[in-house]
Amino acid sequence: MTTTATDLVPFDEALERYDPVMGLEVHVELNTATKMFCGCPATFGGAPNTNVCPVCLGLPGALPVVNGKAVESAIRIGLALNCEIAEWCRFARKNYFYPDMPKNFQTSQYDEPIAFNGWTEVEVDGETYRIEIERAHMEEDTGKSSHVGGATGRIHGADYSLLDYNRAGIPLIEIVTRTIEVPGEKAPAVARAYVQQLRDLVLALGVSDARMDQGSLRCDVNLSLKPKGATAYGTRSETKNVNSFRSVERAARYEIGRHAAILDAGEKVVQETRHFHEDTGTTSSGREKSDAEDYRYFPEPDLAPVSPSRMWVEELRGTLPEPPPQRRRRLQAEWGFSDLEMRDTVGAGALELVAQTVSAGAAPQAARKWWLSELARRANEQGVELVELPITPEQVAQIQGLVDAGTVNDKLARQVFDGVLAGEGSPAEVVEARGLAVVSDEGALSEAVDRAIEANPDVAQKIRDGKVAAAGALIGAVMKDMRGQADAGRVRELILGKLS
Amino acid sequence: MPDSPHDDPRSAAVAAGTPQAITRDDVAHLAGLARIALSDAELDRLGPELSKIVEAVATVSQALEGREDVEPMSHPTPLRNVFRDDDVRPTLTPEDALAMAPAAEDQRFLVPKILGEE
Amino acid sequence: MTDLISLNAAGLADELASGGTSSAELTRAYLDRIEAYDTTLHAFLHVDAEGALAAAHEVDRKRAGGEELSPLAGVPIAVKDLFCTVGQPTTCGSRILEGWVPPYDATVVSRLRRAGLPILGKTNLDEFAMGSSTEHSAYGPSRNPWDTERTPGGSGGGSAAAVAGRLAPLAIGTDTGGSIRQPGALTATVGVKPTYGGVSRYGIVALASSLDQAGPVTRTVLDAALLHEVIGGHDPMDSTSIDAPVPPVVEAARRGDVSGLRIGVVKELGGEGFQSGVQARFEEAVELLVGAGAKVVEVSCPSFVKALATYYLVLPSEVSSNLARFDAMRYGLRVAPEDVDDPSAEQVMAASRDAGFGDEVKRRIILGTYALSSGYYDAYYGSAQKVRALVARDFEAAFEQADVLVSPTAPTTAFKMGEKLDDPLQMYLQDVATIPGNLAGVPGISVPAGLAEDGLPVGFQLLAPLQADDRLYNAGAALERLLLEKWGGPLTPPEVMA
């Protein structure tokens, strides 16, 4: 880092003087059964170097063969983003040396991407923003390196590195936006909304698990600032290692503040790659990009051109899911959510989760309630995304089902959530194991009510005198007695019945 | 978006028949890109050697004079859409994969510390 | 055993079928000859006596059991050390792969094994198949059986020397710019470069992916055809392989009928720069074909004068990328840089590549890096790919006037060791007649055409349209038969190799 400006300019202040210009590069790891250019399983995890062959290891003499399913997925992603699909395109070699790349070139696409000139619309706070998509192209993933000997397990200060090539060759689709110029205060949120929407799209297409925390959805945030009134674009930085939707927003905000501080100080922004740190929400300097590795692109001679017939493209167009804005409107109508409720749901990245919970049988408002309050709170506490919580929409629906059936009340339901999230089992198993079921035994309830009346004669008298509101204190006493495992409504009925 | 390799004045110079000689610095830069640690003797020798070859081959673009219509040919055969099905095929065993590795640990390839950023 | 050694592969196949010999006996005979003469010729980098004999015994067992066998089953073969072979090293003639044993077979090798051809060993080549003499092999050059002071050509000089020197009845090579055909010319053997995509490249260490092709190295045209049918055909592991049956090459080789055949003499491939004896034998051969009913037409392919330059842009560019994988991280030579404590991966890569690659390879990698580099793509690689299209167009136009095109295979006869090492450009000129065929992907064959004034072999090249490989075998067989009649028997190197 060569800048002397170490303070960030506060976000709002920065926006007074500068307009942010963003570009987002998102990599989607496809969920095909096999890799992009060979028949090795494309699975997550597994013992090192067990899913490799001469092709993805880059052994001398090995040759690639294109996975047709990956091409199909690439076209569908392109269509879902309203792109034109190339009539004829090729793969190209991107040549550079790095130990996680077995051939020391990446087979990718260069000036002939399979999809280009698209767009998608995202909604933030009730406003619609159109994001232009420059291109979507096919490429292959690299192997994974782990660094041994350094303090943090990161590359700096490591003694040596260990390479696992299971991931090498897994298909990736890279989606690149054109410059995004939206009102400054909205920019970070728009960036986040875009990545969330890509995730939703890709999930709806069924082509990827799209998990940022697992690396099947990756985002690089490019950002530069334009002084207000200027026409020339500023120097941009590229931030990598952005591992959640929230981090997309945080990284954008941080970079806006950092660039502003540099420019305010009259210095130049360094064109570089930066690394985002989840724990601090800051970025640090990586490799200077002005070195501009010369990738010496040329068309891949080992592969034939890809020229999808227009008929095939139309066939695939027929398999597309509903466009997101249309889907949101339909769901909102089906669920009866207000605009604000819908906005909050989308904003929390909970749209798909709520939809799946409703599909699993829960009422929409209940689904929304659980995801946006109870579970969102826990996700925030742990610093993870909703989708990373160890609970499924089906389980949430089951818990609501238990509430609907009267087996537990709301308060007890929260304990069921605790249990499921702690890995104690399914909702039913947790209720059983922890003995959380609401006591429906009238006799036991009646006895508990009697005990509460006896223990609180003054309150009881007030109720007899007509102060129905005082029943609340007795209800509380009974609930405490029953360790919460009573239906508050029934308790109230019993109290009033006995004291009327 | 990476810069296009086309429309560069250096290419134009070559097409005009005036390719620049390859200097020692050029060779050093290229050797860096190609990750070959050339010795001083090699650096001295290669510049003139390559310049001579380049001079001979630079005439290629002259053959295109007046031929605007020519599409580049990267393949002798008109193959298109060569795909395979998304079916799993046998992998190598980790033993075979690592058999010829210069160094290995924990069933992974062991390489010296990497300086560049990921 | 002299009888067996003097038979060509088709003859050996007959002997095996009739029970006149066994594969084990035959393989043993060749292993003995290798032991006796390979110290002189240095055709082989590795000999696998055990593996070859085991395969031979297996074929004999199957034959005895009445199993149906492929035509060439039991006939041993040598394989250029550029093909991956399980259990045998594949060095590519380079230090960087010294001792590297692949975990998989090239498709061509699998097909040879499945057809029951015992693999005698791996033959010498210019390092990574870049060269025209085998003098760039890191393990020392091979020698021409016709004159051991001279090179057998390259890059596949080892295979040609093995066949010419009767150390193997058959061999397999690769041809990227002439590496099968030019050694064929220099050693009086038959060498074929099939149509690009006609033979699988899977498991052949790549130098120029858009030019490389595997092919037969044999004594006769029929042998080459028989071998072509074993190795050729579609391979789903090679995206550039043609999804069509092998052209009817054996039938064509047996036919050898040129009546009415239109033979196109290519103006740009001959004349100045071609040794007088080479040119003379070529013209005589054309006359012979005319005498047998062929018609001669002169054709001009103007772009061919740029073919050499085009090739020396396309090839190094693809080489610079294909050879990037040799970085000492997963296989191959790993050396630490001198005087560096605790070197980084980058430093180890660079030191290993400098130590492991020879001069010619380094030259081409740097040249290729340059041709692809930022700012130069259009002028060099981009332009070369366009001139390539012009070369292909000229071939198409020529094939409208002629059924086959002909030329001398190489401009000179076998040259002395060291003669062309000082000036790389001089060496590159060896391929001036063969390179156009690689650029366009058309098939070509070199057939022995006699001896020049210096007593050394001359090759006659035929080229055919894409996927019309059978025309080469038909015309080649006809010429071969006519020349045999003229000479009274096949050409064999003097003394030692009888």
Side-chain angles (χ1 to χ4, degrees):
Chain A
M1 222 162 66
T2 54
T3 178
T4 58
T6 48
D7 298 321
L8 292 186
V9 172
F11 182 67
D12 294 326
E13 204 188 307
L15 295 178
E16 283 168 21
R17 293 191 284 285
Y18 303 101
D19 291 324
V21 175
M22 294 186 302
L24 296 165
E25 284 170 24
V26 173
H27 284 86
V28 176
E29 196 176 80
L30 296 180
N31 63 1
T32 50
T34 62
K35 295 187 178 183
M36 185 75 222
F37 300 116
C38 68
C40 288
T43 46
F44 187 71
N49 292 307
T50 50
N51 292 333
V52 294
C53 74
V55 179
C56 55
L57 267 185
L59 293 189
L63 293 174
V65 184
V66 174
N67 183 339
K69 185 92 189 160
V71 177
E72 181 190 284
S73 298
I75 294 173
R76 293 176 72 226
I77 289 174
L79 289 172
L81 292 170
N82 301 293
C83 290
E84 280 177 59
I85 304 299
E87 302 237 353
W88 185 93
C89 67
R90 288 177 293 188
F91 288 90
R93 293 193 186 179
K94 180 179 183 182
N95 297 283
Y96 65 102
F97 286 78
Y98 204 82
D100 67 3
M101 278 209 317
K103 298 172 294 192
N104 285 318
F105 62 84
Q106 183 193 39
T107 303
S108 175
Q109 294 192 291
Y110 176 54
D111 51 358
E112 299 165 353
I114 188 157
F116 51 93
N117 289 349
W119 55 269
T120 193
E121 279 174 354
V122 301
E123 275 171 36
V124 174
D125 297 338
E127 294 286 320
T128 302
Y129 300 93
R130 181 162 156 136
I131 313 275
E132 305 284 333
I133 307 288
E134 185 176 305
R135 53 187 280 145
H137 72 253
M138 300 176 281
E139 59 182 40
E140 53 178 346
D141 209 345
T142 62
K144 236 177 168 160
S145 45
S146 42
H147 310 296
V148 179
T152 58
R154 284 211 54 229
I155 202 169
H156 300 295
D159 289 334
Y160 58 94
S161 299
L162 297 174
L163 269 306
D164 170 19
Y165 293 103
N166 281 353
R167 197 182 67 179
I170 290 186
L172 292 177
I173 306 297
E174 180 175 334
I175 304 165
V176 182
T177 68
R178 296 200 195 278
T179 54
I180 300 172
E181 296 180 62
V182 299
E185 68 276 10
K186 298 293 182 192
V190 168
R192 177 188 180 151
Y194 168 73
V195 181
Q196 282 173 330
Q197 180 149 300
L198 271 189
R199 190 268 310 250
D200 289 349
L201 262 173
V202 150
L203 277 178
L205 284 167
V207 298
S208 170
D209 296 337
R211 293 281 299 261
M212 289 192 82
D213 58 313
Q214 288 178 356
S216 48
L217 188 73
R218 301 169 213 168
C219 179
D220 298 339
V221 180
N222 296 339
L223 188 129
S224 65
L225 293 183
K226 247 201 297 189
K228 280 208 187 290
T231 44
Y233 288 113
T235 307
R236 66 155 202 249
S237 63
E238 179 179 338
T239 300
K240 290 183 174 293
N241 196 46
V242 177
N243 293 333
S244 66
F245 302 124
R246 184 194 336 231
S247 297
V248 173
E249 196 168 346
R250 290 160 84 206
R253 287 182 81 98
Y254 182 84
E255 282 298 285
I256 287 170
R258 188 182 70 84
H259 280 228
I262 294 170
L263 295 174
D264 280 352
E267 289 169 12
K268 283 196 180 319
V269 172
V270 174
Q271 185 181 355
E272 61 180 346
T273 303
R274 297 185 68 84
H275 188 96
F276 183 74
H277 301 277
E278 288 289 323
D279 45 355
T280 55
T282 63
T283 67
S284 63
S285 189
R287 183 183 45 182
E288 234 185 75
K289 222 159 180 199
S290 62
D291 183 40
E293 268 268 21
D294 182 355
Y295 294 121
R296 288 156 280 134
Y297 288 97
F298 67 100
E300 171 61 80
D302 286 330
L303 293 175
V306 173
S307 90
S309 71
R310 299 302 91 182
M311 200 164 77
W312 188 32
V313 171
E314 288 321 300
E315 226 177 86
L316 292 176
R317 200 190 297 278
T319 71
L320 292 183
E322 218 174 352
Q326 202 170 305
R327 182 155 193 268
R328 287 195 285 268
R329 282 192 286 280
R330 177 175 62 79
L331 288 175
Q332 184 177 345
E334 276 176 27
W335 296 341
F337 283 8
S338 71
D339 287 348
L340 185 56
E341 285 170 341
M342 197 59 190
R343 199 184 305 167
D344 287 345
T345 304
V346 172
L351 183 66
E352 287 315 307
L353 294 166
V354 168
Q356 284 165 41
T357 308
V358 170
S359 295
Q365 284 295 354
R368 187 183 66 84
K369 180 189 79 175
W370 290 123
W371 283 107
L372 262 59
S373 52
E374 189 60 33
L375 291 170
R377 181 175 58 76
R378 291 162 196 268
N380 279 332
E381 277 165 19
Q382 290 172 42
V384 299
E385 296 289 335
L386 279 173
V387 76
E388 293 174 55
L389 290 174
I391 188 166
T392 68
E394 289 71 32
Q395 287 168 331
V396 173
Q398 282 165 24
I399 295 174
Q400 180 59 34
L402 292 171
V403 172
D404 291 339
T407 311
V408 297
N409 53 35
D410 260 18
K411 225 168 176 179
L412 290 169
R414 283 171 227 280
Q415 291 186 51
V416 180
F417 274 108
D418 283 340
V420 173
L421 288 167
E424 289 167 26
S426 72
E429 285 164 357
V430 170
V431 166
E432 176 85 33
R434 291 194 180 196
L436 294 175
V438 160
V439 174
S440 45
D441 175 357
E442 284 284 309
L445 264 183
S446 189
E447 281 167 24
V449 169
D450 291 337
R451 283 197 294 276
I453 292 172
E454 248 195 75
N456 300 279
D458 301 329
V459 179
Q461 189 52 49
K462 281 198 183 123
I463 296 169
R464 284 198 199 92
D465 292 343
K467 273 214 175 124
V468 169
L474 283 186
I475 295 171
V478 171
M479 293 301 276
K480 202 166 165 193
D481 186 352
M482 300 294 293
R483 285 181 1 259
Q485 286 170 246
D487 178 53
R490 187 76 197 110
V491 168
R492 189 172 198 280
E493 281 170 16
L494 286 171
I495 292 170
L496 293 178
K498 287 175 193 277
L499 297 175
S500 55
Chain B
M1 176 65 168
D3 292 326
S4 170
H6 313 293
D7 309 324
D8 189 287
R10 283 168 289 185
S11 279
V14 174
T18 55
Q20 294 151 325
I22 302 184
T23 66
R24 196 183 194 276
D25 282 346
D26 288 334
V27 178
H29 171 71
L30 293 167
L33 285 178
R35 296 293 188 276
I36 304 179
L38 295 176
S39 66
D40 283 331
E42 286 175 313
L43 284 169
D44 288 335
R45 184 170 44 83
L46 277 168
E49 243 173 43
L50 291 173
S51 293
K52 205 165 157 216
I53 298 175
V54 165
E55 208 182 300
V57 302
T59 57
V60 156
S61 45
Q62 287 166 15
L64 296 169
E65 253 151 57
R67 308 292 300 264
E68 299 303 318
D69 56 323
V70 186
E71 282 301 310
M73 172 180 137
S74 51
H75 261 142
T77 54
L79 291 170
R80 296 276 180 278
N81 296 329
V82 179
F83 302 146
R84 75 184 155 79
D85 293 333
D86 192 23
D87 297 325
V88 173
R89 288 182 48 89
T91 62
L92 288 174
T93 63
E95 292 72 39
D96 276 346
L98 290 153
M100 293 279 120
E105 186 179 286
D106 286 347
Q107 206 165 278
R108 279 178 258 239
F109 294 84
L110 195 160
V111 307
K113 62 177 194 252
I114 304 168
L115 288 184
E117 186 61 59
E118 303 173 78
Chain C
M1 290 305 108
T2 325
D3 271 342
L4 287 179
I5 302 301
S6 68
L7 286 177
N8 56 42
L12 289 172
D14 288 341
E15 278 296 294
L16 287 165
S18 69
T21 185
S22 68
S23 179
E25 184 185 25
L26 181 55
T27 304
R28 179 83 265 155
Y30 273 100
L31 288 169
D32 289 343
R33 274 197 67 87
I34 292 169
E35 216 179 297
Y37 297 113
D38 201 46
T39 34
T40 310
L41 290 184
H42 193 233
F44 283 86
L45 292 178
H46 181 84
V47 179
D48 181 23
E50 202 180 302
L53 286 168
H57 283 298
E58 180 63 18
V59 174
D60 289 335
R61 193 191 56 73
K62 284 184 176 166
R63 200 184 301 273
E67 278 182 47
E68 177 135 1
L69 294 171
S70 155
L72 287 177
V75 180
I77 188 166
V79 172
K80 184 178 187 179
D81 204 17
L82 199 62
F83 291 75
C84 285
T85 45
V86 171
Q88 288 191 63
T90 299
T91 68
C92 305
S94 177
R95 286 280 167 225
I96 215 165
L97 281 181
E98 189 167 3
W100 182 64
V101 179
Y104 77 110
D105 273 338
T107 297
V108 164
V109 171
S110 304
R111 289 180 182 180
L112 291 175
R113 292 198 210 271
R114 214 175 37 226
L117 282 77
I119 298 176
L120 293 164
K122 311 298 289 296
T123 56
N124 195 22
L125 65 159
D126 285 292
E127 187 181 0
F128 284 106
M130 292 184 240
S132 306
S133 67
T134 71
E135 291 169 287
H136 292 306
S137 168
Y139 302 98
S142 299
R143 294 177 180 279
N144 195 322
W146 287 80
D147 175 347
T148 55
E149 301 291 297
R150 295 175 186 267
T151 84
S155 63
S159 286
V163 171
R166 308 300 191 248
L167 303 191
L170 296 168
I172 285 287
T174 65
D175 190 307
T176 302
S179 294
I180 289 177
R181 290 165 287 161
Q182 181 253 16
L186 270 51
T187 58
T189 52
V190 175
V192 180
K193 183 201 84 67
T195 298
Y196 179 85
V199 180
S200 168
R201 289 188 299 116
Y202 185 74
I204 304 178
V205 181
L207 45 314
S209 315
S210 70
L211 301 168
D212 298 343
Q213 227 354 232
V217 176
T218 61
R219 290 187 219 175
T220 68
V221 174
L222 178 60
D223 284 359
L226 289 164
L227 190 48
H228 191 142
E229 282 195 356
V230 173
I231 61 174
H234 182 241
D235 181 14
M237 300 296 284
D238 175 2
S239 301
T240 61
S241 80
I242 299 172
D243 194 358
V246 178
V249 295
V250 170
E251 184 236 52
R254 293 200 198 276
R255 197 166 12 104
D257 175 11
V258 294
S259 45
L261 190 77
R262 297 171 303 160
I263 294 181
V265 173
V266 182
K267 177 167 145 228
E268 290 77 7
L269 300 182
E272 193 182 317
F274 282 68
Q275 187 177 326
S276 64
V278 166
Q279 191 68 35
R281 295 297 88 76
F282 167 71
E283 284 161 15
E284 288 156 19
V286 171
E287 284 308 307
L288 272 179
L289 289 168
V290 168
K295 297 194 186 330
V296 173
V297 58
E298 270 228 350
V299 299
S300 173
C301 300
S303 67
F304 285 15
V305 301
K306 292 290 177 216
L308 201 65
T310 301
Y311 178 81
Y312 279 103
L313 282 170
V314 171
L315 178 122
S317 300
E318 296 187 13
V319 159
S320 69
S321 179
N322 281 327
L323 265 56
R325 68 193 63 202
F326 300 103
D327 64 358
M329 299 291 111
R330 289 161 295 285
Y331 46 81
L333 182 72
R334 180 185 282 191
V335 306
E338 289 172 13
D339 314 324
V340 178
D341 286 332
D342 196 22
S344 67
E346 291 83 352
Q347 288 170 314
V348 169
M349 275 188 204
S352 304
R353 287 161 67 77
D354 187 55
F357 288 141
D359 287 344
E360 183 61 31
V361 169
K362 279 189 262 202
R363 233 190 315 269
R364 298 198 195 189
I365 290 176
I366 301 290
L367 182 59
T369 307
Y370 179 63
L372 289 173
S373 66
S374 178
Y376 292 104
Y377 180 96
D378 259 354
Y380 295 131
Y381 189 75
S383 294
Q385 293 290 51
K386 289 185 181 181
V387 177
R388 207 171 158 175
L390 291 180
V391 169
R393 274 194 211 175
D394 279 357
F395 267 114
E396 274 168 38
F399 282 127
E400 272 165 34
Q401 304 171 61
D403 302 309
V404 293
L405 301 178
V406 295
S407 79
T409 305
T412 70
T413 55
F415 45 94
K416 283 202 186 293
M417 302 280 179
E419 190 183 305
K420 295 189 191 292
L421 283 181
D422 288 335
D423 183 1
L425 282 170
Q426 274 305 305
M427 188 72 87
Y428 297 166
L429 284 171
Q430 279 289 302
D431 294 329
V432 69
T434 45
I435 273 172
N438 297 89
L439 290 175
V442 299
I445 190 172
S446 179
V447 175
L451 306 177
E453 71 281 7
D454 51 16
L456 294 166
V458 171
F460 184 91
Q461 176 179 237
L462 297 113
L463 298 158
L466 291 170
Q467 297 189 254
D469 306 43
D470 48 307
R471 290 191 203 178
L472 301 176
Y473 288 95
N474 174 49
L479 179 61
E480 183 183 61
R481 192 184 59 240
L482 291 163
L483 287 168
L484 274 178
E485 281 165 18
K486 181 175 167 185
W487 301 326
L491 292 180
T492 54
E495 24 132 346
V496 74
M497 306 302 156

